[in-house]
Amino acid sequence: MNYDEFLQKIFNLTGIDLSLYKEKQMKRRVDSFIANNNCKNYDVFYETLTKDTKIYREFLKYITINVTEFFRNLEQWMILKNEILPKIVKKNMKIWSAACSTGEEAYSLAMLLSDFIDLKGINIIATDIDDVVLEKAKKGIYNNKSVEKIPEEYMKYFTKLDENNFIISEELRKNIVFKKHNLLLDKYPDSVDLIVCRNVLIYFNDKAKEEIYKKFYSSLSIDGILFVGSTEQIIFPYKYNFAPIKTFFYRKISK
């Protein structure tokens, strides 16, 4: 089979439409993974995926590109804390951490919000397409390197488990709901006050990004905020009925 046929079979098998990712970048990643697993072509590799659960899971993790960290690009999080949240924060506000990977972003959000409202009033939905990373996120266990960049005032939410690992407090974890979600296929949450989706859309092609922006718009409440990554500024945001309010922050406006 050729690459396009392979993509269709992967979609049928996993529900992940790799044709909506940037083609050259994704093909390079797929071909590299296939070569590293000593498969000579797409047919052989696809057959391997259907028979070997371990390789299947490794492939899913590899193509969904799970790269994250606590307070990634800290200066942007400080803008969220000092300039955005004071204007929109309220008890029981609804927040969505989309494509949350192993959970660092969702927990960063919860820590920031704890400066404004009681933890019991925090309502964060954190989603990802990868079951494996979601399980790690739910456990809330991170190694020493992962917590290096966390501002000191938030380390109160971490307890040292052993020489190498910390665990996030239960009071923080229980206010975040982690669940599986495919940005390209699944229904989006509604009436969300703040959507945080960072360093994910760079991997999608223009067609997929346009569709996601439209769905984000519908998902947000009136005057809801979209927070994107440091390489993901929206070109012509008004096309999607978003108004830029700070670099990387956009407010939903009426159509």
Side-chain angles (χ1 to χ4, degrees), residues 1-254:
M1 73 180 84
N2 60 32
Y3 182 66
D4 289 337
E5 292 169 334
F6 173 75
L7 295 189
Q8 183 59 50
K9 281 186 170 288
I10 291 298
F11 177 69
N12 294 338
L13 181 67
T14 69
I16 300 173
D17 190 351
L18 296 182
S19 69
L20 294 175
Y21 291 73
K22 292 179 179 177
E23 183 176 358
K24 288 183 180 179
Q25 187 180 53
M26 183 53 69
K27 187 175 186 303
R28 186 166 60 247
R29 288 180 65 82
V30 168
D31 290 348
S32 174
F33 190 91
I34 290 174
N36 289 338
N37 282 276
N38 300 312
C39 294
K40 62 182 180 180
N41 55 43
Y42 295 124
D43 294 271
V44 173
F45 180 63
Y46 181 78
E47 185 176 353
T48 301
L49 282 181
T50 61
K51 295 179 179 179
D52 191 319
T53 303
K54 181 173 181 290
I55 290 181
Y56 175 81
R57 288 176 177 169
E58 288 176 353
F59 180 64
L60 286 186
K61 183 177 180 181
Y62 183 76
I63 60 175
T64 49
I65 316 172
N66 294 300
V67 179
T68 188
E69 63 185 55
F70 288 103
F71 296 100
R72 186 176 183 181
N73 307 118
L74 180 60
E75 66 281 2
Q76 294 169 26
W77 286 92
M78 291 303 99
I79 291 173
L80 177 63
K81 175 181 178 179
N82 297 322
E83 302 184 45
I84 305 297
L85 285 179
K87 297 176 182 178
I88 66 169
V89 73
K90 60 184 179 182
K91 188 175 180 180
N92 296 321
M93 70 182 294
K94 190 173 181 180
I95 297 173
W96 178 21
S97 174
C100 69
S101 187
T102 45
E104 288 92 331
E105 181 180 272
Y107 289 122
S108 298
L109 279 166
M111 285 184 263
L112 282 191
L113 283 166
S114 71
D115 291 335
F116 297 91
I117 56 177
D118 188 276
L119 286 174
K120 294 177 182 178
I122 293 173
N123 176 21
I124 297 175
I125 304 164
T127 64
D128 200 274
I129 198 170
D130 187 337
D131 288 312
V132 175
V133 299
L134 286 171
E135 284 306 308
K136 177 175 172 57
K138 290 174 185 177
K139 292 176 182 176
I141 297 174
Y142 299 94
N143 61 30
N144 292 333
K145 185 172 178 58
S146 295
V147 304
E148 283 179 350
K149 295 181 181 179
I150 296 176
E152 184 60 34
E153 66 263 34
Y154 298 125
M155 285 306 296
K156 64 185 178 183
Y157 293 115
F158 292 81
T159 300
K160 200 164 181 59
L161 280 180
D162 52 42
E163 282 188 14
N164 301 311
N165 297 290
F166 289 82
I167 186 168
I168 290 180
S169 69
E170 184 180 356
E171 63 175 343
L172 207 67
R173 281 184 283 131
K174 69 183 180 182
N175 294 297
I176 302 173
V177 176
F178 289 99
K179 59 184 181 180
K180 189 170 184 177
H181 183 270
N182 185 332
L183 279 172
L184 299 172
L185 291 179
D186 295 336
K187 183 180 183 299
Y188 283 26
D190 56 18
S191 302
V192 179
D193 298 299
L194 171 65
I195 295 175
V196 179
C197 185
R198 307 181 70 241
N199 308 301
V200 176
L201 298 182
I202 54 172
Y203 299 111
F204 293 119
N205 64 29
D206 290 340
K207 176 185 175 184
K209 281 192 284 191
E210 287 193 5
E211 189 62 29
I212 290 171
Y213 290 145
K214 291 175 183 176
K215 289 181 178 180
F216 279 156
Y217 176 89
S218 297
S219 180
L220 285 166
S221 60
I222 297 172
D223 293 326
I225 303 296
L226 172 62
F227 177 22
V228 301
S230 58
T231 58
E232 297 174 321
Q233 286 179 271
I234 304 176
I235 307 301
F236 306 122
Y238 289 102
K239 175 181 177 182
Y240 309 103
N241 296 294
F242 285 113
I245 53 175
K246 282 284 180 181
T247 307
F248 314 118
F249 293 90
Y250 301 86
R251 179 174 55 84
K252 174 177 177 174
I253 54 177
S254 299

